[in-house]
């Protein structure tokens, strides 16, 4: 439950700090945190054997929940992007002039590509109709690996946001490090979830190969 507590705590703190509705800008950190640290995180963890909130559900049901939650997360992220874009326009400020803004733009584009990849995975018949032959198991592996890269980019974007003038002015040293530790915990759990599920078990063939001569010697005796 540490995973869920960290995600909810970080999201709640960001909402409390931003005070959504107090300004147009306030919707940017609010929606982005809800999208990435709460919804997207829960969409990934739904497949975890230890942390899923619907462990008793079938794999098909979990995939359906994953798809819907990811779609809502992408919508929230798009609205958060629109909020900061319009806010800068109204204040006659340049766009994407900071590392946070530039990497954030690339990350949002990656989110959309990942969403398209998820749709193609869910409706794999689209690729077959285009005579593109990819095994379903390979598609799942590519999608999961790409998701890990995406969440890494999200984590980097949020760390850069923690260094922004707005966030630094709203926090003290204790709350800043608490947010950083919560983000680190969430990123680590996502990494462990994806790698433990999809990382090839390279040791097993080696063990079987090394044990083969021993079994032959036993038969000879």
């Amino acid at each position: 439950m540490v995973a869920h507590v960290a995600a909810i705590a970080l999201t709640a703190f960001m909402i409390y700090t931003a005070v959504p509705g107090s300004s147009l800008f306030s919707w940017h950190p609010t929606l982005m945190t809800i999208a990435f640290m709460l919804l997207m995180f829960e969409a990934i963890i739904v497949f975890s054997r230890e942390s899923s909130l619907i462990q008793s559900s079938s794999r098909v049901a979990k995939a359906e929940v994953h798809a819907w939650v990811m779609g809502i997360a992408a919508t929230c992220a798009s609205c958060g992007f629109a909020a900061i874009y319009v806010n800068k326009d109204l204040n006659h400020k340049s766009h994407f002039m900071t590392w946070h803004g530039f990497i954030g733009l690339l990350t949002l584009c990656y989110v959309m590509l990942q969403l398209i990849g998820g749709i193609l995975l869910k409706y794999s018949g689209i690729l077959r109709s285009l005579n593109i032959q990819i095994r379903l198991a390979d598609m799942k592996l590519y999608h999961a690996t790409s998701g890990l890269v995406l969440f890494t980019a999200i984590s980097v974007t949020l760390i850069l946001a923690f260094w922004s003038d707005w966030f630094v002015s709203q926090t003290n040293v204790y709350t800043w490090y608490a947010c950083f530790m919560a983000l680190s915990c969430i990123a680590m759990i996502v990494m462990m979830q994806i790698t433990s599920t999809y990382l090839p078990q390279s040791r097993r063939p080696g063990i079987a190969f090394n044990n083969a001569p021993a079994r032959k010697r036993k038969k000879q005796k």
Side-chain angles (χ1 to χ4, degrees), residues 5 10 59 69 71 90 104 119 126 129 151 161 169 187 194 205 211 215-216:
V5 171
L10 180 56
R59 177 80 180 185
V69 176
L90 293 176
I119 293 173
I126 297 175
S129 66
F151 206 86
S169 67
I194 296 176
N211 288 340
R215 288 196 296 269
K216 289 182 179 180

Side-chain angles (χ1 to χ4, degrees), residues 2-201:
V2 174
H4 304 289
V5 171
I8 293 173
L10 180 56
T11 304
F13 177 79
M14 192 64 72
I15 293 174
Y16 172 79
T17 303
V19 190
S22 59
S23 64
L24 181 58
F25 169 81
S26 66
W27 289 108
H28 174 66
T30 299
L31 292 174
M32 287 301 191
T33 307
I34 292 175
F36 295 136
M37 290 294 98
L38 185 62
L39 296 177
M40 188 172 291
F41 173 71
E42 292 293 343
I44 296 172
I45 291 298
V46 75
F47 294 110
S48 173
R49 296 179 180 178
E50 295 81 15
S51 304
S52 176
L53 296 176
I54 52 173
Q55 292 184 12
S56 59
S57 300
S58 65
R59 177 80 180 185
V60 175
K62 290 179 179 179
E64 194 70 22
V65 171
H66 172 82
W68 279 102
V69 176
M70 285 295 292
I72 297 172
T75 302
C76 285
S78 299
C79 292
F81 174 81
I84 190 62
Y85 192 93
V86 174
N87 183 73
K88 282 184 174 292
D89 270 350
L90 293 176
N91 289 280
H92 307 290
K93 294 183 178 180
S94 301
H95 298 286
F96 318 121
M97 299 302 294
T98 65
W99 280 111
H100 169 66
F102 179 68
I103 296 180
L105 174 63
L106 295 180
T107 301
L108 184 61
C109 293
Y110 199 162
V111 168
M112 298 308 165
L113 292 176
Q114 182 73 0
L115 194 64
I116 293 172
I119 293 173
L120 293 177
L121 177 59
K122 182 176 176 60
Y123 303 103
S124 56
I126 297 175
L127 295 178
R128 288 195 297 270
S129 66
L130 298 174
N131 293 323
I132 300 176
Q133 302 297 325
I134 303 178
R135 293 194 313 161
L136 185 60
D138 291 338
M139 290 181 64
K140 290 181 179 179
L141 177 60
Y142 300 151
H143 184 66
T145 305
S146 177
L148 178 58
V149 175
L150 172 59
F151 206 86
T152 301
I154 289 171
S155 300
V156 171
T157 304
L158 285 173
I159 290 174
L160 292 172
F162 289 169
W163 287 104
S164 66
D165 294 337
W166 173 81
F167 191 78
V168 171
S169 67
Q170 298 295 320
T171 57
N172 55 43
V173 63
Y174 302 107
T175 53
W176 193 95
Y177 276 105
C179 291
F180 180 82
M181 292 304 296
L183 173 59
S184 301
C185 176
I186 292 169
M188 183 64 67
I189 291 170
V190 168
M191 182 186 70
M192 292 176 61
Q193 160 64 19
I194 296 176
T195 55
S196 63
T197 303
Y198 293 98
L199 187 67
Q201 301 296 321

